[in-house]
Amino acid sequence: MLFGQTVQNNALEKFRADKFGLFLHWGLYAQTAGDWKGHKVKGGEHFMLYERIPVQEYGTIADQFNPIKFNADAWVKQAKETGMKYIVFTAKHHDGFAMYNSVSSDYNIVKRSTFKRDPIAELAKACKKYQIMLCLYYSLGRDWQDPDVPTNWPIKAGRSNTWDYPNEDAKVFNRYFERKVKPQITELLSNYGPIGVLWFDTPELIGKKESAELKALVNKLQPNCLVNNRIGNGYGDFSISEQSLTPSSKKAWESCLTIGQNWGYNRHDSLWKSPEVLIRHLVEVVANGGNLLLNVGPKGDGSFPDWATERLKAVGKWMDINNEAIYDSHPWLVVKENTAVAKENQSIEESKNAIKDAVFDGTPKNITPDVYYTAKDKTVYAFLRSWQTTAVMLKQLNKNGLSIKNIELLGNKNKVKWQVKDLELKLNLPADFKKGNQIPVYVLKITTN
């Protein structure tokens, strides 16, 4: 037991050091891309629920699903070049359709679609090639294909398939758990090599005994595999903040965010976060001790949308210069320089671990110059977010009694002039500090004695 706990601790330590991952929401909903029977749907990739589409009819989408542009190598290579260390792929979303060759359920991409290929097998191979950790998403408490999945959010049967299976009281979660969940989790952890995280979603009505049994199954099959808190009942290794930068735990936590409005590809999406906003979010999450899991919804043909690729490439260029301030770092004594700055997102009230519906975004929208910190060994990193001037004044460093040895600007060889005066650290950035940085977030590397 002690050995197993040590293995888990080491896996969690590595996960927390990696900081940055790619979320991939891909399923039949990518093929319809936000439309159904000639009209725009609500609920994004949840449209089967909103449109009340029978399982038999929804499954016919697979007849047209033939993503000939899917290239696992290209996907994983893009993640690597963006500076990401792990990938989370949707093995099965709420629609119940498995995006791999599931022996226990023929409702899957290999058996039902014209594609006939197993994306997870190809992703596993590519992840091994590029040394990216493969992780898998699994919708736990929602499955609209199975007759035995009751839900209670936001009300009784609120996210259940009540059009195919109307008797909510007759549904027994454990029957679904034994028939589908345990066999599919066993497949996922047995057939594709090492899996870093099983990223469960929507625990809904899973019981404590079932959560414990599921955690034990994961530990038995792959002792190094972590699970998030959505396994339910307190059995997770780390917690999730969905579409929010607010820390969900004083321990290990991860923020999962979309670039656009939807998780799955939607042709009607037109509001996308800029590379600057994405880096601001990454910095804020890491400075608060979390990981950032940034989502892309590939298209029905298997390619990434152009707007997503464009942003990933921009983020990757920033990471090339500044990644040492991200990887293996930890929060410093203070998170940010000016704690008096008004919070940017007071308009949205939310509980930290609440499960959101499909289209929701609680992240800050304002772009204001500010300073965030991370640390590593005897180094403190100061992130100058959305910075425009050469003059910088930092109060927190001297306030916390640091003896400064040297200051440099990552990606710039010119000298940074600095002095401590009136208990404040004052410095001037090189005149060309913006050179080579497409994203105006600059990192001061402050070496201490």
Side-chain angles (χ1 to χ4, degrees):
M1 184 69 178
L2 186 62
F3 173 75
Q5 188 62 52
T6 301
V7 168
Q8 283 280 299
N9 288 342
N10 290 341
L12 185 59
E13 188 176 331
K14 182 187 182 304
F15 172 75
R16 297 186 75 179
D18 285 347
K19 300 298 180 190
F20 195 21
L22 176 65
F23 213 171
L24 292 164
H25 272 73
W26 199 45
L28 295 183
Y29 43 82
Q31 181 65 33
T32 55
D35 290 326
W36 183 250
K37 294 186 175 179
H39 68 272
K40 179 181 175 182
V41 299
K42 293 181 179 179
E45 66 281 353
H46 296 192
F47 77 98
M48 179 184 177
L49 172 73
Y50 283 77
E51 300 285 336
R52 301 176 68 82
I53 305 169
V55 171
Q56 190 170 358
E57 184 178 4
Y58 185 85
T60 62
I61 300 170
D63 298 340
Q64 289 82 45
F65 190 55
N66 186 24
I68 55 174
K69 291 185 179 180
F70 168 67
N71 185 327
D73 192 277
W75 283 17
V76 178
K77 185 171 184 280
Q78 181 62 74
K80 180 85 170 181
E81 291 174 351
T82 305
M84 292 154 163
K85 297 282 193 176
Y86 60 100
I87 283 173
V88 180
F89 176 77
T90 45
K92 187 205 74 169
H93 206 261
H94 307 330
D95 59 8
F97 190 81
M99 291 295 288
Y100 71 100
N101 191 14
S102 175
V103 176
S104 57
S105 172
D106 67 359
Y107 194 60
N108 70 67
I109 187 172
V110 176
K111 302 290 197 309
R112 292 292 184 95
S113 79
T114 55
F115 190 52
K116 304 299 181 190
R117 284 160 53 188
D118 186 333
I120 295 182
E122 295 180 34
L123 284 168
K125 184 178 179 181
C127 283
K128 185 177 181 181
K129 174 182 174 180
Y130 290 104
Q131 297 183 304
I132 294 287
M133 183 169 68
L134 177 62
C135 309
L136 298 173
Y137 166 111
Y138 191 88
S139 177
L140 182 56
R142 297 179 192 172
D143 188 314
W144 300 323
Q145 181 257 343
D146 194 282
D148 273 307
V149 191
T151 63
N152 64 347
W153 188 89
I155 57 173
K156 180 180 177 179
R159 290 297 178 269
S160 300
N161 180 344
T162 54
W163 51 98
D164 284 308
Y165 316 116
N167 190 346
E168 188 76 358
D169 293 326
K171 297 172 185 177
V172 180
F173 182 89
N174 191 258
R175 289 200 292 249
Y176 154 70
F177 185 72
E178 294 291 336
R179 179 174 58 244
K180 193 169 186 179
V181 175
K182 284 168 61 179
Q184 288 195 328
I185 293 304
T186 300
E187 292 166 1
L188 292 171
L189 294 182
S190 302
N191 299 337
Y192 301 102
I195 302 301
V197 174
L198 269 179
W199 207 103
F200 291 109
D201 200 7
T202 57
E204 294 280 359
L205 291 171
I206 187 171
K208 188 169 185 178
K209 183 180 177 181
E210 291 152 336
S211 293
E213 188 178 347
L214 188 53
K215 184 69 160 72
L217 177 64
V218 173
N219 289 347
K220 177 185 175 183
L221 294 172
Q222 291 207 28
N224 276 309
C225 184
L226 303 172
V227 299
N228 64 352
N229 64 325
R230 292 183 180 178
I231 192 173
N233 299 294
Y235 284 94
D237 298 301
F238 63 96
S239 61
I240 300 298
S241 283
E242 182 173 329
Q243 296 284 53
S244 168
L245 309 184
T246 305
S248 51
S249 168
K250 290 182 179 179
K251 298 179 180 179
W253 69 283
E254 178 185 65
S255 170
C256 57
L257 306 176
T258 54
I259 295 177
Q261 292 175 293
N262 296 273
W263 295 97
Y265 175 69
N266 191 309
R267 64 171 54 92
H268 303 291
D269 222 344
S270 60
L271 296 173
W272 308 304
K273 296 177 180 73
S274 69
E276 180 180 355
V277 167
L278 294 176
I279 290 298
R280 286 178 62 93
H281 290 353
L282 173 63
V283 169
E284 185 167 341
V285 167
V286 172
N288 279 286
N291 284 29
L292 178 65
L293 184 61
L294 185 63
N295 181 77
V296 170
K299 297 166 72 172
D301 64 7
S303 65
F304 283 8
D306 290 343
W307 53 263
T309 302
E310 175 188 328
R311 283 157 175 78
L312 293 178
K313 286 181 177 178
V315 168
K317 288 180 179 178
W318 185 92
M319 286 291 289
D320 285 344
I321 297 170
N322 302 294
N323 67 71
E324 72 168 83
I326 299 293
Y327 303 142
D328 299 305
S329 69
H330 57 80
W332 188 48
L333 298 171
V334 294
V335 172
K336 60 182 180 178
E337 177 65 24
N338 189 355
T339 54
V341 173
K343 290 185 178 180
E344 297 174 331
N345 199 39
Q346 289 292 327
S347 60
I348 295 176
E349 295 292 331
E350 57 165 327
S351 63
K352 291 179 181 177
N353 288 299
I355 294 169
K356 308 301 183 302
D357 206 358
V359 182
F360 168 88
D361 187 356
T363 57
K365 305 299 182 293
N366 295 346
I367 298 177
T368 307
D370 55 23
V371 180
Y372 274 74
Y373 292 103
T374 62
K376 189 191 305 183
D377 301 323
K378 288 189 174 183
T379 303
V380 176
Y381 296 97
F383 296 82
L384 311 178
R385 302 196 312 170
S386 306
W387 209 259
Q388 300 298 328
T389 67
T390 57
V392 180
M393 182 176 69
L394 304 175
K395 298 179 180 180
Q396 296 293 343
L397 288 141
N398 199 63
K399 185 183 292 185
N400 283 280
L402 290 189
S403 174
I404 300 170
K405 184 177 180 181
N406 186 50
I407 300 177
E408 60 184 288
L409 183 66
L410 294 185
N412 192 304
K413 295 180 180 179
N414 292 319
K415 188 175 179 63
V416 175
K417 297 177 182 179
W418 58 275
Q419 63 173 327
V420 176
K421 188 176 182 181
D422 300 327
L423 299 180
E424 296 172 346
L425 173 63
K426 296 182 179 181
L427 56 91
N428 288 101
L429 301 176
D432 65 344
F433 76 96
K434 294 183 180 182
K435 185 179 179 181
N437 286 279
Q438 293 180 321
I439 299 173
V441 179
Y442 312 96
V443 183
L444 291 169
K445 180 179 181 179
I446 304 165
T447 308
T448 63
N449 290 306

